[in-house]
């Protein structure tokens, strides 16, 4: 909770800080990477640095956190904190790094605001930073402690690769050393760290798409982004027998086993967490009512299609409906042309899980909210930094 001294200061300065975030952020990262170039080798993503909106996620989330403290003084934004903490732990962020980020962020704020930054304002925002930092550090320590090992990365060997959809590949790995393996939950992701052509390591998070409860196998599905940095390397360079570094599994978009009806709506490569959840439900002989909705550009573009259809056929209470933007519609699968309409599938007690590109998620999330599904029953995963946080 904010101190009574800081509360009015934060309330009064929030609009200024929120407005200045976009000019503070590049300065902050410049300072951070000049002082700590090692953070660009295997921790921060170079691609995200090139994208202004994505760059704002970190600093922007502090303004969102402050807004929350002012509006709901006795609570903290758990969903946002959990999302950031899972991302951080998958990258190996540790407590000792928080003072470093603090220094460079606040130096950037001081430079940006100049004389407008009185000691009183600086002190109040320092309080916000550390409230948020300590909340994150606490969750992150808990997440690290749940793992079967104390490593950030362990070496895994590629044992299988299979094309799926038009431009995606399923990669399966097995442990390449004796590091104990944490059993994952459906919906979780791992960080993959690999050297790029210039030797600098980059990291991306990929949802585990199959073999979830298999203790000695990790399977991810990667869509090729021809303009991206990472996916062309993993698609073109990774051969059977090659070793990559994988983190322990993290992520809290885990389908809770509370028995309530599930509505799982996905688009494109966003189907990976749902494919994992369906496979796990089928393997456990679940009788849960599950409505699977998937939208894709065309039938042949749908990654993990056969796996998902097979899982649905094994679940006695599951149905599937599909939408395709172009091409011939398949027989069955309740296929329709055009964009997804969620409304028919919604029931009052449903838990709704969404995953796909942002425009899709905005559209279907609004449909669910308009249909009266309470926000706490709508769960979502954004691939890439969550720009809703900074909104
Ligand atoms: C990502 C917030 C401290 C390293 C993020 C994201 C947020 C965030 C909102 C984006 C999450 C998403 O993907 O949706 C914060 C806040 C901090 C903090 C509020 C302090 C209170 C740190 C520290 C480090 C760190 C100390 C370690 C040097 C990272 C990295 C990413 C990230 C590497 C991923 C960015 C990328 O992919 O380029 N953080 N963070 N953060 N954070 Fe933090």
């Amino acid at each position: 909770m904010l101190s009574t001294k800081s509360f009015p200061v934060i309330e009064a300065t929030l609009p200024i800080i929120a407005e200045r975030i976009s000019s503070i952020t590049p300065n902050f990262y410049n300072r951070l990477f000049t002082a700590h170039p090692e953070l660009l080798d295997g921790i921060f993503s170079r691609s995200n640095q090139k994208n202004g909106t994505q760059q704002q996620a970190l600093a922007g989330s502090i303004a969102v956190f402050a807004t929350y403290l002012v509006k709901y003084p006795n609570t903290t934004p758990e969903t946002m904190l959990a999302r950031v903490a899972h991302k951080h732990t998958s990258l190996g962020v540790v407590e000792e790094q928080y003072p470093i980020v603090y220094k460079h962020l606040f130096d950037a704020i001081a430079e940006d605001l100049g004389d407008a930054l009185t000691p009183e304002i600086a002190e109040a925002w320092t309080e916000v930073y550390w409230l948020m930092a300590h909340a994150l550090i606490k969750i992150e320590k808990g997440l690290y402690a749940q793992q079967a090992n104390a490593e950030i990365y362990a070496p895994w060997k590629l044992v299988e690769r299979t094309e799926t959809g038009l431009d995606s590949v399923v990669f399966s790995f097995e442990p390449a050393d004796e590091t104990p393996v944490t059993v994952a939950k459906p919906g979780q992701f791992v960080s993959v760290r690999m050297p790029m052509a210039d030797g600098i390591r980059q990291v991306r998070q990929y949802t585990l798409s199959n073999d979830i409860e298999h203790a000695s196998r990790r399977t991810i599905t990667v869509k090729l982004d021809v303009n991206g940095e990472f996916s062309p390397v993993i698609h073109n360079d990774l051969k059977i027998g090659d070793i990559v570094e994988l983190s322990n599994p993290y992520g809290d978009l885990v389908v809770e086993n509370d028995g309530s009806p599930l509505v799982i709506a996905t688009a494109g490569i966003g189907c990976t967490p749902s494919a994992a959840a369906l496979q796990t439900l089928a393997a456990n002989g679940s009788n849960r009512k599950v409505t699977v909705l998937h939208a894709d550009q065309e039938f042949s573009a749908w990654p993990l299609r056969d796996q998902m259809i097979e899982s649905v056929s094994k679940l006695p209470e599951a149905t599937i409906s599909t939408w395709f933007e172009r091409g011939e519609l398949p027989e069955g699968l309740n296929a329709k042309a055009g964009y997804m309409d969620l409304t028919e599938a919604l029931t009052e007690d449903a838990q709704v899980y969404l995953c796909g590109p942002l425009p899709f998620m905005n559209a279907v999330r609004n449909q669910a909210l308009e249909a009266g599904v309470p926000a706490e029953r709508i769960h979502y995963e954004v691939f890439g930094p969550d720009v809703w946080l900074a909104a």
Side-chain angles (χ1 to χ4, degrees):
M1 213 175 127
L2 264 180
S3 64
T4 33
K5 190 174 162 215
S6 294
F7 193 101
V9 182
I10 295 300
E11 210 174 11
T13 52
L14 242 174
I16 313 165
I17 295 287
E19 192 198 299
R20 302 302 303 166
I21 291 284
S22 54
S23 58
I24 292 167
T25 306
N27 186 356
F28 153 59
Y29 280 114
N30 267 339
R31 289 168 174 277
L32 181 68
F33 296 141
T34 305
H36 292 276
E38 74 281 4
L39 292 176
L40 276 172
D41 181 10
I43 173 154
F44 280 89
S45 145
R46 289 197 280 216
S47 308
N48 286 351
Q49 286 304 315
K50 287 186 199 141
N51 177 324
T53 327
Q54 295 188 335
Q55 236 193 9
Q56 284 173 40
L58 194 158
S61 74
I62 299 173
V64 174
F65 184 75
T67 311
Y68 205 94
L69 294 180
V70 167
K71 271 198 185 159
Y72 314 102
N74 293 318
T75 60
T76 47
E78 300 300 333
T79 311
M80 175 176 92
L81 291 172
R83 168 160 173 123
V84 177
H86 280 272
K87 182 76 169 266
H88 278 170
T89 41
S90 82
L91 289 157
V93 171
V94 289
E95 185 170 9
E96 292 70 30
Q97 289 169 319
Y98 280 84
I100 299 171
V101 164
Y102 170 79
K103 177 185 166 23
H104 298 292
L105 181 60
F106 278 67
D107 285 353
I109 294 175
E111 187 176 36
D112 190 81
L113 294 188
D115 291 344
L117 187 72
T118 62
E120 197 191 19
I121 298 175
E123 208 179 294
W125 279 95
T126 295
E127 190 183 324
V128 170
Y129 178 90
W130 284 109
L131 275 174
M132 187 163 183
H134 288 307
L136 287 171
I137 292 166
K138 187 167 168 224
I139 307 174
E140 287 159 16
K141 282 191 174 160
L143 292 175
Y144 286 132
Q146 285 167 22
Q147 302 300 332
N149 60 68
E151 307 300 324
I152 302 304
Y153 290 99
W156 290 71
K157 185 163 71 174
L158 184 70
V159 292
E160 209 178 315
R161 56 173 292 167
T162 323
E163 311 278 324
T164 183
L166 286 181
D167 51 8
S168 300
V169 176
V170 183
F171 295 93
S172 295
F173 301 92
E174 282 179 6
D177 73 356
E178 300 303 313
T179 308
V181 176
T182 302
V183 177
K185 298 184 196 120
Q188 291 197 305
F189 58 80
V190 291
S191 283
V192 182
R193 185 164 72 173
M194 282 177 73
M196 300 292 104
D198 60 0
I200 297 290
R201 290 167 304 172
Q202 290 290 288
V203 186
R204 293 293 182 275
Q205 287 74 36
Y206 293 104
T207 307
L208 298 167
S209 57
N210 333 47
D211 304 321
I212 300 304
E213 287 169 339
H214 200 305
S216 57
R217 201 174 164 102
R218 298 273 194 243
T219 297
I220 58 174
T221 302
V222 180
K223 184 185 160 78
L224 177 68
D225 170 4
V226 281
N227 299 315
E229 173 163 30
F230 198 92
S231 65
V233 174
I234 190 166
H235 266 242
N236 301 331
D237 299 358
L238 203 60
K239 309 276 178 303
I240 302 291
D242 285 353
I243 307 277
V244 298
E245 293 178 296
L246 299 186
S247 75
N248 285 315
Y250 291 99
D252 62 345
L253 188 86
V254 171
V255 173
E256 296 302 337
N257 204 359
D258 67 356
S260 55
L262 278 177
V263 174
I264 304 180
T266 59
I269 191 69
C271 66
T272 48
S274 101
L278 292 171
Q279 196 183 55
T280 312
L281 287 168
N284 295 332
S286 172
N287 286 323
R288 207 160 163 188
K289 186 170 185 312
V290 189
T291 308
V292 180
L293 310 171
H294 182 73
D296 225 303
Q297 288 168 342
E298 57 184 291
F299 184 61
S300 59
W302 179 4
L304 302 172
R305 184 182 70 204
D306 296 345
Q307 178 188 324
M308 286 174 73
I309 295 172
E310 189 193 332
S311 299
V312 168
S313 74
K314 287 185 186 159
L315 290 164
E317 296 298 323
T319 57
I320 185 161
S321 299
T322 52
W323 285 262
F324 300 100
E325 284 171 41
R326 55 169 191 259
E328 234 174 90
L329 295 179
E331 298 271 322
L333 302 174
N334 293 317
K336 297 187 191 68
Y339 296 119
M340 181 184 294
D341 182 359
L342 201 66
T343 20
E344 268 178 36
L346 297 170
T347 54
E348 235 171 57
D349 53 347
Q351 293 283 352
V352 181
Y353 289 84
L354 309 175
C355 189
L358 261 187
F360 162 83
M361 302 251 285
N362 279 328
V364 289
R365 186 166 182 268
N366 281 332
Q367 289 174 10
L369 289 170
E370 276 167 28
V373 180
E376 69 266 21
R377 286 183 169 269
I378 308 176
H379 314 271
Y380 68 91
E381 179 76 84
V382 182
F383 287 175
D386 187 348
V387 287
W388 288 1
L389 292 180

